[in-house]
Amino acid sequence: MKAPASAPTPASGQEPQEPRWLTDEEQRVWRSFMEGVTLLDDHLDRQLQRDAGMPHVYYGLLVKLAEAPRRQLRMTELAMLAKITRSRLSHAIARLEKNGWVRREDCPDDKRGQFAVLTEEGYQVLRQTAPGHVEAVRQAVFDRLSPEQQKSLGEIMRIVAEGLQPAEAGADLPWLR
């Protein structure tokens, strides 16, 4: 983004600081990243809708539950693992419950807490859907990258993700909203 013609003056009366505008190369990288993420998300959503009638985020929730002990997680932990807001998780779990793929159970030691539990039917849907989804991911990402590029992509995204999840109290993270 290029600098606007006139920048607003801060209310404190201080001189406005010039934004750190992206260089042409940084803009190219950023736009390529955003286009790739948008197209990949759409590609995976379409594959999962076609093969299982669910969006990518729902598939991710089923995977997280399948990997959990006893195929269950507290709702707050599931929201954190999925990196989504609690309200979005609640809506998604309601839809998955309607399909019979997940059920909610009250937490015995916390009256306000609930578990999301993957049902046997949900586990079977996941087992049937996983091969096609893995192939879609492989074709869209891994088959296009060299092993070195795959390693670099993993390292880069880990650094970005870690930087967006500050450990200090009061951080504005999706699962805390």
Side-chain angles (χ1 to χ4, degrees):
M1 173 175 225
K2 298 293 184 196
S6 63
T9 309
S12 66
Q14 298 175 343
E15 285 294 315
Q17 288 192 359
E18 183 66 23
R20 296 183 323 136
W21 300 108
L22 299 179
T23 66
D24 289 343
E25 179 61 13
E26 288 169 334
Q27 285 184 50
R28 186 193 64 74
V29 168
W30 175 246
R31 289 176 182 173
S32 293
F33 171 80
M34 289 305 300
E35 288 173 7
V37 167
T38 301
L39 290 169
L40 179 60
D41 191 46
D42 178 71
H43 176 72
L44 297 176
D45 256 349
R46 284 184 294 115
Q47 178 268 319
L48 286 164
Q49 286 289 356
R50 181 185 64 244
D51 293 356
M54 76 174 98
H56 193 216
V57 70
Y58 291 14
Y59 179 85
L61 295 172
L62 295 180
V63 168
K64 301 236 182 300
L65 290 171
E67 293 172 343
R70 297 184 316 276
R71 297 184 189 157
Q72 70 178 27
L73 287 167
R74 285 185 65 119
M75 293 284 283
T76 52
E77 185 178 0
L78 184 54
M80 182 189 73
L81 291 171
K83 312 293 186 233
I84 60 176
T85 63
R86 291 179 286 191
S87 64
R88 184 172 184 196
L89 175 66
S90 184
H91 176 74
I93 293 298
R95 296 288 303 269
L96 292 168
E97 279 182 301
K98 190 175 175 183
N99 290 343
W101 300 344
V102 170
R103 72 176 179 274
R104 292 182 213 223
E105 291 182 1
D106 290 332
C107 183
D109 57 336
D110 178 2
K111 296 212 185 280
R112 294 182 301 153
Q114 283 191 319
F115 287 103
V117 182
L118 182 64
T119 65
E120 186 58 34
E121 184 180 350
Y123 183 70
Q124 290 309 315
V125 166
L126 184 61
R127 285 179 47 93
Q128 292 167 358
T129 307
H133 182 65
V134 169
E135 186 58 29
V137 169
R138 182 166 296 290
Q139 288 177 356
V141 179
F142 294 99
D143 290 350
R144 298 171 188 269
L145 301 176
S146 69
E148 296 80 24
Q149 289 171 319
Q150 292 174 23
K151 183 178 178 190
S152 293
L153 178 62
E155 291 170 352
I156 290 165
M157 295 316 298
R158 180 185 48 77
I159 290 167
V160 170
E162 286 175 358
L164 293 171
Q165 299 179 84
E168 67 266 3
D172 184 21
L173 298 167
W175 55 93
L176 298 176
R177 288 185 234 138

